Amino acid sequence: MRPIRPYARAALRAALRSVLLFAFGASALLAERPHAVAGESLLQALKPVTDAMLAKPAPEDWLTRRGDYRAWGYSGLDQITSQNVGRLKLAWAWNMEPGYQEEAPLAHDGIVFLANPKNVVQALDGRTGDLLWEYRRELPKIEGGYHNDLLDRARGTIALYADKVLLASADAHVVALDARTGKVIWDTAVADYRQGYTFTGGPIVANGKVVAGISGCTNPGTSSGCFIVALDANSGTELWRTKTIAQPGSPGDESWHGLPAEQRNGGSVWTSGSYDPALNLLYWGTGGPIPHSELVRGTGDGAVLYTDSTLALDADTGKIVWYHQFLPRDNWNLDHVFEQVLVDIEVDNRPRQALLAIGKPGIIWALDRRTGEFLWERGTTHQNVYKHVDAETGQVAINESLIPTKLDETKFVCPSFYGGKLWMASAYNPASKTLFVPLNNLCMDYKAVEQQPLPGEDYGRGRMVFRHAPGNNGNIGRVDAVKLTNKETQWTQQRRPYWSSSLLATAGGLVFGGDTNRRIVAFDAGSGKILWELPLNSQPGGFPMTYMADGKQYLAIPTGLSLIGNRVVRSLTPEIPVPARGSTLLVFALPDPDSP
């Protein structure tokens, strides 16, 4: 046998080291990695993220949870097109912390910044997936099964600004990390996690202020409800906070029918908001009241402001400039807390600066984002909670026959309190003025029950049994493409599995997303035709995104266990297997030109 030459031995050692790192993710070997010098170079070259960059991001970056302040979920990159998408190959993969898959990776200057469940934050080389740094937050022991569940549901809880990665943590802190090292710059406690407060949605940065919505106000210790808070991005000093439910003596108080502040609960801010720099307005959606049923919470026929609403806040002061409540007197936990999409469209032959909001009932609401004026609405999935919506004013009449009048009385309600539309975000293509909406055809048998306010447990929840929506032919998952110019559905794709991921639209004429049957798909944005479909290791979830590194476009798909999707799977699609717990970031790219 011929001896192995020194250079061959070195190559063999490097190959073995790469295999070990891929298989085990061994951070102890980090200093030995051949790419370490390249990684240091990447980090040193990282440019600070400015207000101007956030207002108009470069297509190569993905700086916020939905790509930009407007929550479009759209990328101007077009290397991957409807003609070549079928050639996508796996470029690299990264195992994340175990937990429910609702992650939103970000990218800047070729570096991917990834928030994991349980508040682990990592910086990865966007070309290879190699670890550049890692921050692990020591989380306290938390009382209650439901409160512990929230630790697994950290939804893309980071933002980028200046030289910082900003984390909104599960224990109700906001933490600034050095973007080049992962070291803590400042750490501010915003609320007492022991009462149930937490962050599940990521912050945004608006004109130097870190703004985030607190949630967890389904816990009994969070009386007087949740809030939105702003901190100075440089120091972590709190600048303002705004309650999301009306307080005694404040506007909207009368809508709670005299209920004392300590008995008012809800208005959780489960997801991130949007920002219009020209108007200096922040837009945030709010969750429903707690307990779910007015029979249990004691509010009578009060509208319970500002639950199930969009709030427009002055970014400098936090003052509510306007609000629009979509579902007064919510009795079924039909949150309207999801993405606020900012678009410029024509309404009645007049240009309007609009905001689009979609709550669990699946209705697309269009409002003037300067004033909150109602512009139009149109439905998607089957719903029966609204009896009527006035086409001129947007005033709603709810279906009072569905309101529980006694405990343990079953009502057939559409949608279920998992949507319709849920946290999985829509995507908007500005060229075609088309909104792509991820939906699920679901209803429920619902009943109000008495529930003791136990610490750390979901307080006031009704009981639900999933049902298929009428006429869905067994198809639960659904994607609608809606033309905003005429409010018509351009195409609909319906599938049997629950739709488990947000959508991503690109200038390449594509829309990406996936379902609980482990399938990632690329739709042709114009026709809805499926151009690429691939079974993955687990369910596509979270917020897909795309970025560029060294001139190559990459497509990042988070996968892992879907908390809500798997409850539906076990109930309505039992033939679809539920994967093991665990999350992965899968990153695809086109093969190099000289590849076979």
Side-chain angles (χ1 to χ4, degrees), residues 252-302:
D253 177 18
E254 71 286 348
S255 69
W256 286 83
H257 278 9
L259 202 68
E262 62 271 16
Q263 294 179 32
R264 301 182 189 188
N265 213 338
S268 284
V269 191
W270 297 110
T271 54
S272 297
S274 300
Y275 177 54
D276 186 328
L279 299 176
N280 199 34
L281 290 179
L282 297 156
Y283 306 95
W284 240 277
T286 62
I290 298 296
H292 297 168
S293 167
E294 63 191 40
L295 175 70
V296 180
R297 66 179 180 255
T299 54
D301 62 356

Short mmCIF file of all heavy atoms in Angstrom, two decimals, residues 252-302:
data_model
loop_
_atom_site.label_atom_id
_atom_site.label_comp_id
_atom_site.label_asym_id
_atom_site.label_seq_id
_atom_site.Cartn_x
_atom_site.Cartn_y
_atom_site.Cartn_z
N GLY A 252 -62.81 54.11 25.14
CA GLY A 252 -63.12 52.69 24.96
C GLY A 252 -63.50 51.97 26.23
O GLY A 252 -63.92 50.82 26.19
N ASP A 253 -63.34 52.65 27.37
CA ASP A 253 -63.67 52.03 28.67
C ASP A 253 -65.09 51.47 28.69
O ASP A 253 -65.34 50.37 29.19
CB ASP A 253 -63.48 53.08 29.77
CG ASP A 253 -63.86 52.58 31.16
OD1 ASP A 253 -63.94 51.35 31.34
OD2 ASP A 253 -64.08 53.42 32.05
N GLU A 254 -66.03 52.23 28.12
CA GLU A 254 -67.45 51.84 28.18
C GLU A 254 -67.71 50.51 27.49
O GLU A 254 -68.68 49.82 27.78
CB GLU A 254 -68.32 52.94 27.55
CG GLU A 254 -68.23 53.08 26.05
CD GLU A 254 -66.93 53.72 25.55
OE1 GLU A 254 -66.17 54.27 26.38
OE2 GLU A 254 -66.67 53.69 24.33
N SER A 255 -66.81 50.11 26.56
CA SER A 255 -67.02 48.87 25.82
C SER A 255 -66.80 47.63 26.68
O SER A 255 -67.12 46.52 26.25
CB SER A 255 -66.10 48.83 24.59
OG SER A 255 -64.75 48.70 24.98
N TRP A 256 -66.27 47.82 27.90
CA TRP A 256 -66.08 46.70 28.83
C TRP A 256 -67.20 46.62 29.86
O TRP A 256 -67.15 45.81 30.78
CB TRP A 256 -64.71 46.80 29.51
CG TRP A 256 -63.60 46.44 28.57
CD1 TRP A 256 -63.01 47.25 27.65
CD2 TRP A 256 -62.98 45.16 28.43
NE1 TRP A 256 -62.04 46.56 26.95
CE2 TRP A 256 -62.00 45.28 27.41
CE3 TRP A 256 -63.14 43.94 29.06
CZ2 TRP A 256 -61.20 44.22 27.00
CZ3 TRP A 256 -62.33 42.87 28.67
CH2 TRP A 256 -61.38 43.02 27.65
N HIS A 257 -68.19 47.47 29.73
CA HIS A 257 -69.40 47.41 30.57
C HIS A 257 -69.08 47.40 32.07
O HIS A 257 -69.67 46.63 32.84
CB HIS A 257 -70.25 46.19 30.21
CG HIS A 257 -71.14 46.44 29.01
ND1 HIS A 257 -71.04 47.55 28.21
CD2 HIS A 257 -72.14 45.70 28.47
CE1 HIS A 257 -71.93 47.49 27.24
NE2 HIS A 257 -72.63 46.37 27.37
N GLY A 258 -68.14 48.26 32.47
CA GLY A 258 -67.86 48.44 33.89
C GLY A 258 -67.02 47.36 34.52
O GLY A 258 -66.82 47.37 35.75
N LEU A 259 -66.47 46.44 33.74
CA LEU A 259 -65.62 45.40 34.32
C LEU A 259 -64.36 46.03 34.90
O LEU A 259 -63.71 46.83 34.24
CB LEU A 259 -65.24 44.38 33.23
CG LEU A 259 -64.83 42.98 33.70
CD1 LEU A 259 -66.02 42.24 34.29
CD2 LEU A 259 -64.24 42.19 32.52
N PRO A 260 -63.99 45.72 36.15
CA PRO A 260 -62.78 46.31 36.74
C PRO A 260 -61.52 45.93 35.94
O PRO A 260 -61.48 44.88 35.29
CB PRO A 260 -62.73 45.71 38.15
CG PRO A 260 -64.11 45.22 38.41
CD PRO A 260 -64.69 44.83 37.08
N ALA A 261 -60.51 46.78 36.02
CA ALA A 261 -59.27 46.55 35.25
C ALA A 261 -58.66 45.19 35.55
O ALA A 261 -58.15 44.51 34.64
CB ALA A 261 -58.27 47.66 35.55
N GLU A 262 -58.72 44.77 36.82
CA GLU A 262 -58.10 43.50 37.18
C GLU A 262 -58.84 42.29 36.61
O GLU A 262 -58.35 41.17 36.68
CB GLU A 262 -57.98 43.37 38.70
CG GLU A 262 -59.28 43.37 39.47
CD GLU A 262 -59.73 44.78 39.85
OE1 GLU A 262 -59.20 45.76 39.27
OE2 GLU A 262 -60.61 44.89 40.73
N GLN A 263 -60.03 42.52 36.05
CA GLN A 263 -60.77 41.42 35.42
C GLN A 263 -60.78 41.53 33.89
O GLN A 263 -61.39 40.70 33.23
CB GLN A 263 -62.21 41.40 35.95
CG GLN A 263 -62.31 41.05 37.43
CD GLN A 263 -63.74 41.07 37.93
OE1 GLN A 263 -64.68 40.75 37.21
NE2 GLN A 263 -63.93 41.43 39.19
N ARG A 264 -60.12 42.55 33.36
CA ARG A 264 -60.00 42.68 31.90
C ARG A 264 -58.73 41.97 31.45
O ARG A 264 -57.66 42.19 32.02
CB ARG A 264 -59.96 44.15 31.49
CG ARG A 264 -61.18 44.93 31.92
CD ARG A 264 -61.14 46.39 31.45
NE ARG A 264 -62.22 47.15 32.07
CZ ARG A 264 -62.54 48.40 31.75
NH1 ARG A 264 -61.84 49.03 30.82
NH2 ARG A 264 -63.54 49.00 32.37
N ASN A 265 -58.87 41.17 30.43
CA ASN A 265 -57.71 40.40 29.99
C ASN A 265 -57.79 40.18 28.48
O ASN A 265 -58.86 40.24 27.89
CB ASN A 265 -57.66 39.05 30.71
CG ASN A 265 -56.25 38.59 30.95
OD1 ASN A 265 -55.33 39.01 30.25
ND2 ASN A 265 -56.05 37.73 31.92
N GLY A 266 -56.63 39.93 27.90
CA GLY A 266 -56.55 39.64 26.47
C GLY A 266 -55.78 40.69 25.71
O GLY A 266 -54.96 41.42 26.25
N GLY A 267 -56.06 40.78 24.41
CA GLY A 267 -55.34 41.72 23.55
C GLY A 267 -53.89 41.34 23.34
O GLY A 267 -53.04 42.22 23.14
N SER A 268 -53.58 40.05 23.37
CA SER A 268 -52.19 39.63 23.15
C SER A 268 -51.72 40.06 21.77
O SER A 268 -52.47 40.05 20.79
CB SER A 268 -52.07 38.10 23.27
OG SER A 268 -52.11 37.70 24.62
N VAL A 269 -50.43 40.43 21.69
CA VAL A 269 -49.84 40.91 20.43
C VAL A 269 -48.92 39.80 19.94
O VAL A 269 -47.70 39.88 20.08
CB VAL A 269 -49.10 42.24 20.65
CG1 VAL A 269 -48.72 42.86 19.31
CG2 VAL A 269 -49.99 43.22 21.42
N TRP A 270 -49.51 38.76 19.36
CA TRP A 270 -48.77 37.54 19.08
C TRP A 270 -47.72 37.70 17.99
O TRP A 270 -46.77 36.92 17.94
CB TRP A 270 -49.74 36.43 18.67
CG TRP A 270 -50.74 36.03 19.72
CD1 TRP A 270 -52.08 36.26 19.73
CD2 TRP A 270 -50.47 35.32 20.93
NE1 TRP A 270 -52.66 35.74 20.86
CE2 TRP A 270 -51.69 35.15 21.62
CE3 TRP A 270 -49.30 34.81 21.52
CZ2 TRP A 270 -51.79 34.50 22.84
CZ3 TRP A 270 -49.40 34.15 22.74
CH2 TRP A 270 -50.63 34.01 23.39
N THR A 271 -47.88 38.66 17.08
CA THR A 271 -46.97 38.75 15.94
C THR A 271 -46.42 40.17 15.77
O THR A 271 -46.79 41.08 16.51
CB THR A 271 -47.67 38.31 14.64
OG1 THR A 271 -48.88 39.08 14.49
CG2 THR A 271 -48.03 36.84 14.67
N SER A 272 -45.56 40.35 14.78
CA SER A 272 -44.90 41.64 14.56
C SER A 272 -45.79 42.61 13.79
O SER A 272 -46.69 42.19 13.06
CB SER A 272 -43.60 41.44 13.77
OG SER A 272 -42.69 40.65 14.50
N GLY A 273 -45.49 43.89 13.93
CA GLY A 273 -46.23 44.92 13.24
C GLY A 273 -45.52 45.43 12.00
O GLY A 273 -44.53 44.86 11.55
N SER A 274 -46.06 46.53 11.44
CA SER A 274 -45.50 47.18 10.27
C SER A 274 -45.26 48.66 10.58
O SER A 274 -45.71 49.17 11.61
CB SER A 274 -46.45 47.05 9.07
OG SER A 274 -46.68 45.69 8.76
N TYR A 275 -44.58 49.35 9.66
CA TYR A 275 -44.22 50.74 9.90
C TYR A 275 -44.20 51.50 8.58
O TYR A 275 -43.67 51.01 7.57
CB TYR A 275 -42.83 50.81 10.55
CG TYR A 275 -42.29 52.20 10.80
CD1 TYR A 275 -43.03 53.15 11.50
CD2 TYR A 275 -41.04 52.56 10.33
CE1 TYR A 275 -42.52 54.43 11.73
CE2 TYR A 275 -40.51 53.83 10.57
CZ TYR A 275 -41.26 54.77 11.26
OH TYR A 275 -40.76 56.02 11.49
N ASP A 276 -44.80 52.69 8.58
CA ASP A 276 -44.73 53.60 7.45
C ASP A 276 -43.87 54.79 7.86
O ASP A 276 -44.31 55.66 8.61
CB ASP A 276 -46.15 54.07 7.07
CG ASP A 276 -46.15 54.91 5.80
OD1 ASP A 276 -45.16 55.63 5.54
OD2 ASP A 276 -47.15 54.87 5.06
N PRO A 277 -42.61 54.87 7.39
CA PRO A 277 -41.72 55.97 7.81
C PRO A 277 -42.24 57.34 7.38
O PRO A 277 -42.04 58.33 8.11
CB PRO A 277 -40.40 55.64 7.11
CG PRO A 277 -40.46 54.19 6.79
CD PRO A 277 -41.91 53.90 6.54
N ALA A 278 -42.90 57.43 6.23
CA ALA A 278 -43.39 58.73 5.76
C ALA A 278 -44.48 59.27 6.67
O ALA A 278 -44.54 60.48 6.94
CB ALA A 278 -43.90 58.61 4.33
N LEU A 279 -45.35 58.40 7.17
CA LEU A 279 -46.41 58.81 8.09
C LEU A 279 -45.98 58.71 9.55
O LEU A 279 -46.69 59.20 10.44
CB LEU A 279 -47.65 57.94 7.87
CG LEU A 279 -48.29 58.00 6.48
CD1 LEU A 279 -49.45 57.01 6.38
CD2 LEU A 279 -48.76 59.41 6.16
N ASN A 280 -44.84 58.06 9.79
CA ASN A 280 -44.35 57.79 11.14
C ASN A 280 -45.41 57.07 11.99
O ASN A 280 -45.59 57.35 13.17
CB ASN A 280 -43.91 59.07 11.85
CG ASN A 280 -42.99 58.79 13.03
OD1 ASN A 280 -42.19 57.86 13.00
ND2 ASN A 280 -43.11 59.58 14.08
N LEU A 281 -46.08 56.13 11.36
CA LEU A 281 -47.10 55.35 12.04
C LEU A 281 -46.71 53.88 12.08
O LEU A 281 -46.23 53.32 11.08
CB LEU A 281 -48.46 55.49 11.34
CG LEU A 281 -49.16 56.84 11.44
CD1 LEU A 281 -50.48 56.81 10.67
CD2 LEU A 281 -49.42 57.22 12.90
N LEU A 282 -46.92 53.27 13.24
CA LEU A 282 -46.78 51.84 13.43
C LEU A 282 -48.16 51.20 13.36
O LEU A 282 -49.15 51.79 13.81
CB LEU A 282 -46.16 51.54 14.79
CG LEU A 282 -44.75 52.04 15.04
CD1 LEU A 282 -44.50 52.20 16.53
CD2 LEU A 282 -43.73 51.07 14.44
N TYR A 283 -48.21 49.98 12.83
CA TYR A 283 -49.49 49.28 12.72
C TYR A 283 -49.36 47.91 13.36
O TYR A 283 -48.48 47.14 12.99
CB TYR A 283 -49.90 49.14 11.25
CG TYR A 283 -49.93 50.46 10.51
CD1 TYR A 283 -48.82 50.89 9.78
CD2 TYR A 283 -51.04 51.29 10.56
CE1 TYR A 283 -48.83 52.09 9.10
CE2 TYR A 283 -51.06 52.51 9.89
CZ TYR A 283 -49.95 52.90 9.17
OH TYR A 283 -49.96 54.11 8.50
N TRP A 284 -50.23 47.64 14.31
CA TRP A 284 -50.18 46.36 15.00
C TRP A 284 -51.59 45.78 15.13
O TRP A 284 -52.55 46.51 15.38
CB TRP A 284 -49.59 46.54 16.40
CG TRP A 284 -48.35 45.73 16.61
CD1 TRP A 284 -48.29 44.42 16.96
CD2 TRP A 284 -47.00 46.18 16.48
NE1 TRP A 284 -46.97 44.01 17.04
CE2 TRP A 284 -46.16 45.08 16.76
CE3 TRP A 284 -46.41 47.39 16.16
CZ2 TRP A 284 -44.78 45.15 16.73
CZ3 TRP A 284 -45.03 47.48 16.12
CH2 TRP A 284 -44.23 46.37 16.41
N GLY A 285 -51.70 44.48 14.96
CA GLY A 285 -52.96 43.79 15.20
C GLY A 285 -53.03 43.29 16.63
O GLY A 285 -52.00 43.09 17.29
N THR A 286 -54.25 43.10 17.14
CA THR A 286 -54.44 42.64 18.51
C THR A 286 -55.25 41.35 18.55
O THR A 286 -56.06 41.07 17.65
CB THR A 286 -55.16 43.69 19.36
OG1 THR A 286 -56.47 43.92 18.83
CG2 THR A 286 -54.38 45.00 19.38
N GLY A 287 -55.03 40.58 19.61
CA GLY A 287 -55.75 39.34 19.81
C GLY A 287 -57.10 39.56 20.46
O GLY A 287 -57.51 40.69 20.76
N GLY A 288 -57.79 38.47 20.70
CA GLY A 288 -59.14 38.52 21.26
C GLY A 288 -59.15 38.71 22.77
O GLY A 288 -58.12 38.68 23.43
N PRO A 289 -60.35 38.91 23.33
CA PRO A 289 -60.49 39.03 24.77
C PRO A 289 -60.42 37.68 25.47
O PRO A 289 -60.67 36.64 24.85
CB PRO A 289 -61.89 39.65 24.93
CG PRO A 289 -62.64 39.14 23.73
CD PRO A 289 -61.63 39.04 22.62
N ILE A 290 -60.06 37.72 26.74
CA ILE A 290 -59.97 36.52 27.57
C ILE A 290 -60.80 36.73 28.84
O ILE A 290 -60.68 37.80 29.45
CB ILE A 290 -58.50 36.22 27.94
CG1 ILE A 290 -57.69 35.95 26.67
CG2 ILE A 290 -58.39 35.02 28.89
CD1 ILE A 290 -58.10 34.73 25.88
N PRO A 291 -61.61 35.76 29.28
CA PRO A 291 -61.96 34.51 28.60
C PRO A 291 -62.64 34.75 27.24
O PRO A 291 -63.14 35.82 26.97
CB PRO A 291 -62.90 33.82 29.57
CG PRO A 291 -62.58 34.41 30.91
CD PRO A 291 -62.20 35.83 30.63
N HIS A 292 -62.66 33.68 26.44
CA HIS A 292 -63.19 33.80 25.08
C HIS A 292 -64.65 34.24 25.07
O HIS A 292 -65.05 35.07 24.26
CB HIS A 292 -63.09 32.47 24.34
CG HIS A 292 -61.70 31.99 24.14
ND1 HIS A 292 -61.40 30.72 23.72
CD2 HIS A 292 -60.50 32.62 24.30
CE1 HIS A 292 -60.10 30.57 23.63
NE2 HIS A 292 -59.52 31.70 23.98
N SER A 293 -65.45 33.65 25.93
CA SER A 293 -66.89 33.87 25.88
C SER A 293 -67.31 34.99 26.81
O SER A 293 -66.88 35.05 27.97
CB SER A 293 -67.60 32.57 26.25
OG SER A 293 -68.97 32.82 26.50
N GLU A 294 -68.19 35.87 26.34
CA GLU A 294 -68.72 36.95 27.19
C GLU A 294 -69.54 36.38 28.35
O GLU A 294 -69.67 37.01 29.39
CB GLU A 294 -69.54 37.92 26.37
CG GLU A 294 -70.79 37.34 25.72
CD GLU A 294 -71.40 38.29 24.70
OE1 GLU A 294 -70.66 38.94 23.93
OE2 GLU A 294 -72.65 38.36 24.67
N LEU A 295 -70.06 35.18 28.18
CA LEU A 295 -70.78 34.52 29.25
C LEU A 295 -69.87 34.30 30.45
O LEU A 295 -70.27 34.47 31.61
CB LEU A 295 -71.32 33.17 28.75
CG LEU A 295 -72.01 32.25 29.75
CD1 LEU A 295 -73.35 32.84 30.16
CD2 LEU A 295 -72.21 30.86 29.13
N VAL A 296 -68.61 33.96 30.19
CA VAL A 296 -67.65 33.68 31.26
C VAL A 296 -66.93 34.96 31.70
O VAL A 296 -66.69 35.16 32.88
CB VAL A 296 -66.63 32.62 30.79
CG1 VAL A 296 -65.62 32.31 31.90
CG2 VAL A 296 -67.35 31.34 30.37
N ARG A 297 -66.60 35.84 30.77
CA ARG A 297 -65.81 37.02 31.14
C ARG A 297 -66.66 38.14 31.74
O ARG A 297 -66.13 39.09 32.32
CB ARG A 297 -64.99 37.54 29.95
CG ARG A 297 -65.75 38.09 28.79
CD ARG A 297 -64.81 38.60 27.69
NE ARG A 297 -65.56 39.13 26.56
CZ ARG A 297 -65.72 38.51 25.40
NH1 ARG A 297 -65.17 37.32 25.21
NH2 ARG A 297 -66.43 39.07 24.43
N GLY A 298 -67.99 38.11 31.55
CA GLY A 298 -68.86 39.07 32.23
C GLY A 298 -68.92 40.43 31.59
O GLY A 298 -69.14 41.43 32.27
N THR A 299 -68.77 40.50 30.24
CA THR A 299 -68.80 41.80 29.56
C THR A 299 -70.11 42.07 28.82
O THR A 299 -70.23 43.09 28.13
CB THR A 299 -67.63 41.90 28.56
OG1 THR A 299 -67.68 40.77 27.67
CG2 THR A 299 -66.30 41.92 29.28
N GLY A 300 -71.06 41.15 28.93
CA GLY A 300 -72.31 41.36 28.23
C GLY A 300 -72.09 41.54 26.75
O GLY A 300 -71.28 40.85 26.15
N ASP A 301 -72.84 42.50 26.15
CA ASP A 301 -72.70 42.72 24.71
C ASP A 301 -71.70 43.81 24.37
O ASP A 301 -71.75 44.40 23.30
CB ASP A 301 -74.07 43.04 24.10
CG ASP A 301 -74.67 44.33 24.66
OD1 ASP A 301 -74.06 44.93 25.58
OD2 ASP A 301 -75.74 44.74 24.18
N GLY A 302 -70.76 44.07 25.29
CA GLY A 302 -69.74 45.10 25.05
C GLY A 302 -68.77 44.70 23.95
O GLY A 302 -68.44 43.52 23.78
#
